Amino acid sequence: MALERTFSILKPDATRRNLTGAINAIIEKAGLRIVAQKRIHMTRGQAETFYGVHKDRPFFGELVEFMTSAPVVVQVLEGENAIAKYREVMGATNPANAAPGTIRKEFALSVGENSAHGSDAAETAAQEIAQFFAGNEIVG
Ligand code: DAT
Ligand code: MG
């Protein structure tokens, strides 16, 4: 498998509790390289676009509220098989189902406030990276 890039968000519950360094340590220990990173406060429009695939789900309003409730850290992670690897490192969406040692098991507060986002496929990774980063902000 070639070097791959995935998009990550350290969510508001993580920035609020000062957990971005602890989460980055897990990311780096897993062999993923942080090749771009910035702290932003997402606008409602950015959050609605980002999670557009979920717009008809009952939790959409609460999801957008949460994602805009405090700063987030957006990242591009690079490594072998980075998309699947980061999904593994994050753990299941619901922390109750996440494996020990995963980001969500260690830090998530609930299925909604679950500390991290990671892309689920190559196409979404490319779209998500392009929503938040210009090419020259990614330094591999
Ligand atoms: P993931 O973030 O693991 O890719 P997803 O794409 O199914 O999960 O959902 C996106 C986010 O929406 C998820 O991280 C948290 C929120 N979410 C998902 N299911 C939820 C639910 N049943 N109740 C509240 N929030 C939910
Ligand atoms: Mg998802």
Short mmCIF file of all heavy atoms in Angstrom, two decimals, residues 55-100:
data_model
loop_
_atom_site.label_atom_id
_atom_site.label_comp_id
_atom_site.label_asym_id
_atom_site.label_seq_id
_atom_site.Cartn_x
_atom_site.Cartn_y
_atom_site.Cartn_z
N LYS A 55 -27.26 15.15 6.68
CA LYS A 55 -28.21 16.26 6.90
C LYS A 55 -29.63 15.81 7.22
O LYS A 55 -30.38 16.54 7.86
CB LYS A 55 -28.19 17.25 5.72
CG LYS A 55 -28.72 16.72 4.42
CD LYS A 55 -28.67 17.85 3.38
CE LYS A 55 -29.34 17.48 2.08
NZ LYS A 55 -28.96 16.17 1.54
N ASP A 56 -30.01 14.60 6.82
CA ASP A 56 -31.36 14.12 7.13
C ASP A 56 -31.43 13.25 8.38
O ASP A 56 -32.50 12.74 8.74
CB ASP A 56 -31.93 13.34 5.93
CG ASP A 56 -32.10 14.26 4.72
OD1 ASP A 56 -32.42 15.45 4.92
OD2 ASP A 56 -31.88 13.78 3.58
N ARG A 57 -30.30 13.08 9.06
CA ARG A 57 -30.30 12.24 10.28
C ARG A 57 -30.82 13.06 11.45
O ARG A 57 -30.67 14.28 11.50
CB ARG A 57 -28.86 11.76 10.59
CG ARG A 57 -28.17 11.07 9.43
CD ARG A 57 -28.65 9.65 9.18
NE ARG A 57 -28.16 8.74 10.20
CZ ARG A 57 -26.96 8.18 10.20
NH1 ARG A 57 -26.09 8.45 9.25
NH2 ARG A 57 -26.61 7.34 11.15
N PRO A 58 -31.44 12.40 12.43
CA PRO A 58 -32.05 13.13 13.55
C PRO A 58 -31.03 13.91 14.41
O PRO A 58 -31.40 14.88 15.06
CB PRO A 58 -32.73 12.02 14.38
CG PRO A 58 -32.14 10.74 13.91
CD PRO A 58 -31.71 10.95 12.48
N PHE A 59 -29.78 13.49 14.37
CA PHE A 59 -28.77 14.14 15.21
C PHE A 59 -28.04 15.29 14.49
O PHE A 59 -27.13 15.88 15.07
CB PHE A 59 -27.75 13.11 15.73
CG PHE A 59 -27.06 12.33 14.64
CD1 PHE A 59 -25.97 12.86 13.95
CD2 PHE A 59 -27.48 11.05 14.31
CE1 PHE A 59 -25.34 12.14 12.95
CE2 PHE A 59 -26.85 10.32 13.29
CZ PHE A 59 -25.78 10.87 12.62
N PHE A 60 -28.46 15.63 13.25
CA PHE A 60 -27.69 16.61 12.47
C PHE A 60 -27.59 17.97 13.16
O PHE A 60 -26.50 18.56 13.24
CB PHE A 60 -28.31 16.76 11.07
CG PHE A 60 -27.54 17.69 10.17
CD1 PHE A 60 -26.27 17.36 9.72
CD2 PHE A 60 -28.09 18.90 9.76
CE1 PHE A 60 -25.55 18.21 8.89
CE2 PHE A 60 -27.38 19.76 8.93
CZ PHE A 60 -26.12 19.41 8.49
N GLY A 61 -28.72 18.47 13.68
CA GLY A 61 -28.71 19.79 14.32
C GLY A 61 -27.77 19.83 15.51
O GLY A 61 -26.95 20.76 15.65
N GLU A 62 -27.84 18.81 16.31
CA GLU A 62 -27.00 18.71 17.51
C GLU A 62 -25.52 18.55 17.12
O GLU A 62 -24.62 19.10 17.76
CB GLU A 62 -27.56 17.57 18.37
CG GLU A 62 -26.65 16.64 19.07
CD GLU A 62 -27.42 15.40 19.62
OE1 GLU A 62 -28.66 15.29 19.49
OE2 GLU A 62 -26.74 14.55 20.19
N LEU A 63 -25.28 17.84 16.01
CA LEU A 63 -23.91 17.65 15.52
C LEU A 63 -23.30 18.99 15.08
O LEU A 63 -22.16 19.31 15.44
CB LEU A 63 -23.94 16.64 14.37
CG LEU A 63 -22.65 16.33 13.63
CD1 LEU A 63 -21.59 15.78 14.57
CD2 LEU A 63 -22.92 15.31 12.49
N VAL A 64 -24.07 19.77 14.33
CA VAL A 64 -23.58 21.08 13.87
C VAL A 64 -23.37 22.01 15.07
O VAL A 64 -22.36 22.72 15.15
CB VAL A 64 -24.55 21.68 12.83
CG1 VAL A 64 -24.20 23.13 12.52
CG2 VAL A 64 -24.53 20.84 11.55
N GLU A 65 -24.30 22.01 16.01
CA GLU A 65 -24.16 22.82 17.24
C GLU A 65 -22.85 22.46 17.95
O GLU A 65 -22.08 23.33 18.36
CB GLU A 65 -25.32 22.55 18.21
CG GLU A 65 -26.59 23.29 17.91
CD GLU A 65 -26.40 24.80 17.85
OE1 GLU A 65 -25.77 25.37 18.76
OE2 GLU A 65 -26.89 25.40 16.87
N PHE A 66 -22.63 21.18 18.13
CA PHE A 66 -21.43 20.71 18.83
C PHE A 66 -20.15 21.11 18.10
O PHE A 66 -19.22 21.65 18.71
CB PHE A 66 -21.49 19.19 19.00
CG PHE A 66 -20.21 18.58 19.48
CD1 PHE A 66 -19.65 18.96 20.70
CD2 PHE A 66 -19.54 17.63 18.71
CE1 PHE A 66 -18.45 18.41 21.14
CE2 PHE A 66 -18.35 17.09 19.14
CZ PHE A 66 -17.79 17.47 20.36
N MET A 67 -20.12 20.90 16.79
CA MET A 67 -18.88 21.15 16.04
C MET A 67 -18.52 22.64 15.98
O MET A 67 -17.37 22.98 15.71
CB MET A 67 -19.00 20.58 14.62
CG MET A 67 -19.03 19.05 14.57
SD MET A 67 -17.59 18.24 15.31
CE MET A 67 -16.30 18.70 14.15
N THR A 68 -19.52 23.50 16.23
CA THR A 68 -19.26 24.95 16.22
C THR A 68 -19.23 25.53 17.63
O THR A 68 -19.19 26.73 17.80
CB THR A 68 -20.36 25.68 15.40
OG1 THR A 68 -21.65 25.36 15.94
CG2 THR A 68 -20.33 25.26 13.94
N SER A 69 -19.23 24.67 18.65
CA SER A 69 -19.35 25.13 20.04
C SER A 69 -18.03 25.56 20.67
O SER A 69 -18.01 26.19 21.73
CB SER A 69 -19.97 24.02 20.90
OG SER A 69 -19.08 22.91 21.02
N ALA A 70 -16.92 25.23 20.03
CA ALA A 70 -15.58 25.56 20.54
C ALA A 70 -14.61 25.31 19.39
O ALA A 70 -14.99 24.70 18.38
CB ALA A 70 -15.23 24.65 21.74
N PRO A 71 -13.36 25.77 19.52
CA PRO A 71 -12.39 25.51 18.45
C PRO A 71 -12.18 24.01 18.20
O PRO A 71 -12.43 23.18 19.08
CB PRO A 71 -11.10 26.14 18.97
CG PRO A 71 -11.56 27.18 19.93
CD PRO A 71 -12.79 26.61 20.58
N VAL A 72 -11.70 23.73 17.01
CA VAL A 72 -11.28 22.37 16.65
C VAL A 72 -9.86 22.47 16.09
O VAL A 72 -9.41 23.55 15.74
CB VAL A 72 -12.22 21.72 15.60
CG1 VAL A 72 -13.63 21.59 16.12
CG2 VAL A 72 -12.19 22.50 14.28
N VAL A 73 -9.20 21.33 16.00
CA VAL A 73 -7.91 21.26 15.30
C VAL A 73 -8.11 20.38 14.07
O VAL A 73 -8.47 19.20 14.21
CB VAL A 73 -6.80 20.71 16.21
CG1 VAL A 73 -5.51 20.52 15.42
CG2 VAL A 73 -6.56 21.66 17.38
N VAL A 74 -7.93 20.96 12.89
CA VAL A 74 -8.03 20.18 11.65
C VAL A 74 -6.62 19.76 11.24
O VAL A 74 -5.66 20.52 11.42
CB VAL A 74 -8.74 20.96 10.52
CG1 VAL A 74 -10.22 21.12 10.83
CG2 VAL A 74 -8.11 22.31 10.26
N GLN A 75 -6.53 18.54 10.72
CA GLN A 75 -5.21 17.97 10.42
C GLN A 75 -5.24 17.16 9.13
O GLN A 75 -6.28 16.62 8.77
CB GLN A 75 -4.81 16.98 11.53
CG GLN A 75 -4.82 17.52 12.92
CD GLN A 75 -4.51 16.46 13.96
OE1 GLN A 75 -5.12 15.38 13.94
NE2 GLN A 75 -3.59 16.74 14.87
N VAL A 76 -4.09 17.04 8.51
CA VAL A 76 -3.87 16.03 7.48
C VAL A 76 -2.84 15.06 8.04
O VAL A 76 -1.77 15.47 8.50
CB VAL A 76 -3.37 16.64 6.17
CG1 VAL A 76 -3.16 15.55 5.11
CG2 VAL A 76 -4.34 17.70 5.65
N LEU A 77 -3.18 13.78 8.01
CA LEU A 77 -2.29 12.73 8.51
C LEU A 77 -1.82 11.89 7.33
O LEU A 77 -2.61 11.56 6.44
CB LEU A 77 -3.02 11.83 9.51
CG LEU A 77 -3.75 12.53 10.65
CD1 LEU A 77 -4.42 11.49 11.55
CD2 LEU A 77 -2.80 13.41 11.45
N GLU A 78 -0.54 11.54 7.33
CA GLU A 78 0.05 10.78 6.22
C GLU A 78 0.70 9.51 6.75
O GLU A 78 1.34 9.55 7.81
CB GLU A 78 1.10 11.66 5.53
CG GLU A 78 1.68 11.06 4.27
CD GLU A 78 2.68 12.03 3.63
OE1 GLU A 78 3.84 12.05 4.08
OE2 GLU A 78 2.28 12.75 2.71
N GLY A 79 0.54 8.44 6.00
CA GLY A 79 1.21 7.18 6.37
C GLY A 79 0.74 6.06 5.47
O GLY A 79 -0.16 6.23 4.64
N GLU A 80 1.35 4.89 5.66
CA GLU A 80 0.91 3.70 4.95
C GLU A 80 -0.52 3.41 5.37
O GLU A 80 -0.80 3.33 6.58
CB GLU A 80 1.80 2.51 5.34
CG GLU A 80 3.23 2.59 4.84
CD GLU A 80 3.32 2.37 3.33
OE1 GLU A 80 2.58 1.52 2.80
OE2 GLU A 80 4.13 3.08 2.70
N ASN A 81 -1.42 3.28 4.42
CA ASN A 81 -2.79 2.86 4.74
C ASN A 81 -3.44 3.82 5.76
O ASN A 81 -4.16 3.38 6.66
CB ASN A 81 -2.71 1.44 5.32
CG ASN A 81 -3.96 0.65 5.05
OD1 ASN A 81 -4.79 1.05 4.25
ND2 ASN A 81 -4.10 -0.46 5.74
N ALA A 82 -3.16 5.11 5.62
CA ALA A 82 -3.51 6.09 6.66
C ALA A 82 -5.01 6.15 6.96
O ALA A 82 -5.40 6.34 8.10
CB ALA A 82 -3.00 7.48 6.25
N ILE A 83 -5.84 5.97 5.94
CA ILE A 83 -7.29 6.12 6.14
C ILE A 83 -7.81 5.03 7.08
O ILE A 83 -8.43 5.33 8.11
CB ILE A 83 -8.04 6.12 4.78
CG1 ILE A 83 -7.62 7.35 3.96
CG2 ILE A 83 -9.55 6.08 5.00
CD1 ILE A 83 -8.07 7.32 2.51
N ALA A 84 -7.53 3.79 6.73
CA ALA A 84 -8.00 2.67 7.57
C ALA A 84 -7.26 2.67 8.91
O ALA A 84 -7.87 2.39 9.96
CB ALA A 84 -7.77 1.35 6.85
N LYS A 85 -5.97 2.99 8.89
CA LYS A 85 -5.21 2.97 10.13
C LYS A 85 -5.76 3.98 11.14
O LYS A 85 -5.93 3.68 12.31
CB LYS A 85 -3.72 3.25 9.86
CG LYS A 85 -2.88 3.19 11.13
CD LYS A 85 -1.42 3.50 10.90
CE LYS A 85 -0.69 2.31 10.35
NZ LYS A 85 0.76 2.58 10.20
N TYR A 86 -6.08 5.19 10.67
CA TYR A 86 -6.58 6.21 11.61
C TYR A 86 -7.98 5.83 12.12
O TYR A 86 -8.30 6.08 13.28
CB TYR A 86 -6.58 7.59 10.96
CG TYR A 86 -6.88 8.71 11.93
CD1 TYR A 86 -6.25 8.77 13.19
CD2 TYR A 86 -7.80 9.70 11.63
CE1 TYR A 86 -6.54 9.77 14.10
CE2 TYR A 86 -8.09 10.72 12.54
CZ TYR A 86 -7.45 10.75 13.76
OH TYR A 86 -7.74 11.76 14.67
N ARG A 87 -8.81 5.21 11.27
CA ARG A 87 -10.12 4.74 11.75
C ARG A 87 -9.91 3.73 12.90
O ARG A 87 -10.65 3.74 13.88
CB ARG A 87 -10.91 4.07 10.62
CG ARG A 87 -11.32 4.98 9.48
CD ARG A 87 -12.42 5.96 9.77
NE ARG A 87 -13.62 5.39 10.32
CZ ARG A 87 -14.75 6.10 10.51
NH1 ARG A 87 -14.81 7.39 10.17
NH2 ARG A 87 -15.79 5.54 11.05
N GLU A 88 -8.88 2.90 12.76
CA GLU A 88 -8.58 1.92 13.81
C GLU A 88 -8.10 2.60 15.08
O GLU A 88 -8.50 2.25 16.19
CB GLU A 88 -7.45 1.02 13.30
CG GLU A 88 -7.75 -0.44 13.26
CD GLU A 88 -6.53 -1.20 12.78
OE1 GLU A 88 -5.62 -1.48 13.60
OE2 GLU A 88 -6.49 -1.46 11.56
N VAL A 89 -7.21 3.59 14.90
CA VAL A 89 -6.64 4.31 16.04
C VAL A 89 -7.73 5.12 16.77
O VAL A 89 -7.69 5.26 18.00
CB VAL A 89 -5.51 5.25 15.54
CG1 VAL A 89 -5.07 6.24 16.59
CG2 VAL A 89 -4.32 4.42 15.06
N MET A 90 -8.72 5.62 16.02
CA MET A 90 -9.82 6.37 16.65
C MET A 90 -10.74 5.46 17.43
O MET A 90 -11.26 5.84 18.48
CB MET A 90 -10.68 7.07 15.58
CG MET A 90 -10.06 8.29 14.99
SD MET A 90 -11.32 9.28 14.17
CE MET A 90 -12.05 8.12 13.07
N GLY A 91 -11.03 4.28 16.90
CA GLY A 91 -12.00 3.38 17.51
C GLY A 91 -13.41 3.66 17.02
O GLY A 91 -13.65 4.60 16.26
N ALA A 92 -14.35 2.84 17.48
CA ALA A 92 -15.74 2.91 17.02
C ALA A 92 -16.36 4.27 17.33
O ALA A 92 -16.00 4.92 18.32
CB ALA A 92 -16.55 1.80 17.67
N THR A 93 -17.34 4.66 16.49
CA THR A 93 -18.05 5.95 16.66
C THR A 93 -18.57 6.11 18.08
O THR A 93 -18.40 7.16 18.71
CB THR A 93 -19.22 6.02 15.66
OG1 THR A 93 -18.72 5.77 14.35
CG2 THR A 93 -19.89 7.39 15.70
N ASN A 94 -19.23 5.07 18.58
CA ASN A 94 -19.73 5.09 19.96
C ASN A 94 -18.62 4.58 20.89
O ASN A 94 -18.21 3.42 20.78
CB ASN A 94 -20.97 4.18 20.05
CG ASN A 94 -21.61 4.25 21.42
OD1 ASN A 94 -20.98 4.67 22.39
ND2 ASN A 94 -22.86 3.85 21.50
N PRO A 95 -18.14 5.42 21.79
CA PRO A 95 -17.01 5.00 22.64
C PRO A 95 -17.30 3.74 23.45
O PRO A 95 -16.36 3.03 23.84
CB PRO A 95 -16.77 6.22 23.55
CG PRO A 95 -18.01 7.05 23.46
CD PRO A 95 -18.60 6.77 22.10
N ALA A 96 -18.58 3.46 23.68
CA ALA A 96 -18.93 2.23 24.42
C ALA A 96 -18.48 0.99 23.65
O ALA A 96 -18.23 -0.06 24.25
CB ALA A 96 -20.43 2.18 24.68
N ASN A 97 -18.37 1.12 22.33
CA ASN A 97 -17.96 -0.01 21.49
C ASN A 97 -16.51 0.07 21.04
O ASN A 97 -16.06 -0.77 20.26
CB ASN A 97 -18.85 -0.08 20.23
CG ASN A 97 -20.32 -0.16 20.57
OD1 ASN A 97 -20.68 -0.78 21.57
ND2 ASN A 97 -21.17 0.46 19.77
N ALA A 98 -15.78 1.07 21.49
CA ALA A 98 -14.40 1.29 21.01
C ALA A 98 -13.42 0.41 21.80
O ALA A 98 -13.60 0.17 23.00
CB ALA A 98 -14.03 2.76 21.14
N ALA A 99 -12.40 -0.07 21.10
CA ALA A 99 -11.41 -0.96 21.72
C ALA A 99 -10.50 -0.18 22.67
O ALA A 99 -10.26 1.02 22.47
CB ALA A 99 -10.58 -1.62 20.63
N PRO A 100 -9.99 -0.86 23.70
CA PRO A 100 -9.06 -0.21 24.63
C PRO A 100 -7.86 0.39 23.90
O PRO A 100 -7.37 -0.19 22.94
CB PRO A 100 -8.60 -1.37 25.53
CG PRO A 100 -9.66 -2.41 25.42
CD PRO A 100 -10.25 -2.27 24.04
#
